[in-house]
Amino acid sequence: MRTPVIAGNWKMYKTAGESAAFVKEFLPLVAGVQGVEIVLSPPFPSLSIVGALTAGTNVGVASQNVHFAAEGAYTGEVSPGMVKDAGARYAIIGHSERRQYFAETDESVNRKVKAALAAGLVPIMCLGETLQERESGKTFPVVERQLRTGLAEVSAAEAPKVIVAYEPVWAIGTGKTATKEQAQEVHAFLRGILKELFGEPVALAVRILYGGSVKPENISELMAQPDIDGALVGGASLKANAFAGIVKFK
Ligand code: 13P
């Protein structure tokens, strides 16, 4: 009932030329894939070229961040309208690396989610606990706060457009994937909060992705979980073959 989403977050990798080469290699590998939303998230300077090369294909494009204002004196920032104009349909918001290194908060994430929705972009809102939070038994309160604050003032009409990405910080880039049971437990918990916030039909419509050391070898068991609706992939999305293998998880 929920269309799965497999999104590749390239982080700060690939020049425009490298991005174009990836797309040319990748498109034929996934040309026949149906019933999966495939998304590539290149760095800002590659958005236009990836947007142009994927136009009219089954591959969509996401920015890795957006500012919350439509325009203004914000040196170094990029607005939702600008990334949309460059060909993006989605925007990753609140990735843990942005929270950790660039001082993003639940409140700034919320402003960005609302701005992305207002611009007609699909927010991919990231959340997840640190290792210390997990080991001290705080996983559920932390992700609950991140979800509730991140979606504050989002209406039940807009909420189904939002994609949530659960990325436990301890699983990102570490090779240490959450077990399918650990991921499913948090995804089911998040869906329960969505039900409290927006009602059951919305909670059943929102896609919740898992991220953190997803590879071709572990995607199938993750996707077999009832509340895991896709993946946000870092390292393994940088190689066309590996990412195509994840896209074709079925
Ligand atoms: P890795 O897949 O490299 O662990 O990164 C996950 C991630 O942060 C995707 O946004």
Side-chain angles (χ1 to χ4, degrees):
M1 128 192 82
R2 293 182 291 272
T3 304
V5 180
I6 304 289
N9 173 13
W10 289 353
K11 308 192 180 184
M12 201 171 72
Y13 292 98
K14 295 192 191 295
T15 61
E18 290 162 351
S19 301
F22 177 105
V23 174
K24 285 174 192 159
E25 186 185 350
F26 181 67
L27 286 178
L29 299 177
V30 298
V33 175
Q34 289 177 348
V36 179
E37 274 177 52
I38 309 167
V39 181
L40 298 174
S41 189
F44 284 130
S46 297
L47 268 185
S48 292
I49 183 85
V50 174
L53 289 172
T54 57
T57 73
N58 59 340
V59 175
V61 179
S63 63
Q64 297 177 14
N65 181 27
V66 279
H67 193 264
F68 42 73
E71 58 182 11
Y74 298 105
T75 301
E77 292 292 321
V78 179
S79 74
M82 291 170 185
V83 304
K84 201 174 171 205
D85 180 62
R89 291 210 308 270
Y90 309 77
I92 297 175
I93 293 172
H95 191 280
S96 66
E97 287 150 15
R98 299 223 42 96
R99 295 175 187 257
Q100 187 179 352
Y101 306 127
F102 303 100
E104 293 217 8
T105 62
D106 295 335
E107 288 72 26
S108 66
V109 169
N110 175 244
R111 292 180 78 176
K112 291 176 177 202
V113 165
K114 289 185 287 186
L117 285 169
L121 289 168
V122 172
I124 303 177
M125 188 181 86
C126 303
L127 47 79
E129 81 287 2
T130 63
L131 184 59
Q132 194 197 2
E133 287 162 345
R134 173 161 284 262
E135 288 180 341
S136 55
K138 298 204 187 99
T139 297
F140 290 138
V142 165
V143 298
E144 176 168 2
R145 186 203 72 224
Q146 291 172 325
L147 185 68
R148 285 185 185 275
T149 311
L151 296 180
E153 296 167 11
V154 172
S155 69
E158 292 275 86
K161 296 177 195 156
V162 176
I163 297 172
V164 175
Y166 169 57
E167 299 204 306
V169 178
W170 48 270
I172 295 178
T174 57
K176 202 176 157 194
T177 320
T179 65
K180 57 188 193 301
E181 292 84 6
Q182 284 172 321
Q184 166 58 25
E185 184 184 36
V186 175
H187 283 229
F189 174 77
L190 293 171
R191 204 175 302 285
I193 306 287
L194 290 170
K195 186 176 162 188
E196 278 179 33
L197 287 171
F198 303 111
E200 187 156 34
V202 172
L204 290 176
V206 171
R207 275 84 58 87
I208 308 179
L209 316 186
Y210 167 78
S213 300
V214 173
K215 305 181 258 290
E217 297 77 39
N218 58 26
I219 184 68
S220 299
E221 63 174 33
L222 289 163
M223 291 305 292
Q225 302 304 304
D227 290 292
I228 299 183
D229 307 314
L232 185 53
V233 185
S237 73
L238 293 169
K239 293 251 172 4
N241 262 319
F243 191 51
I246 295 173
V247 166
K248 297 181 195 170
F249 64 88
K250 277 181 215 160

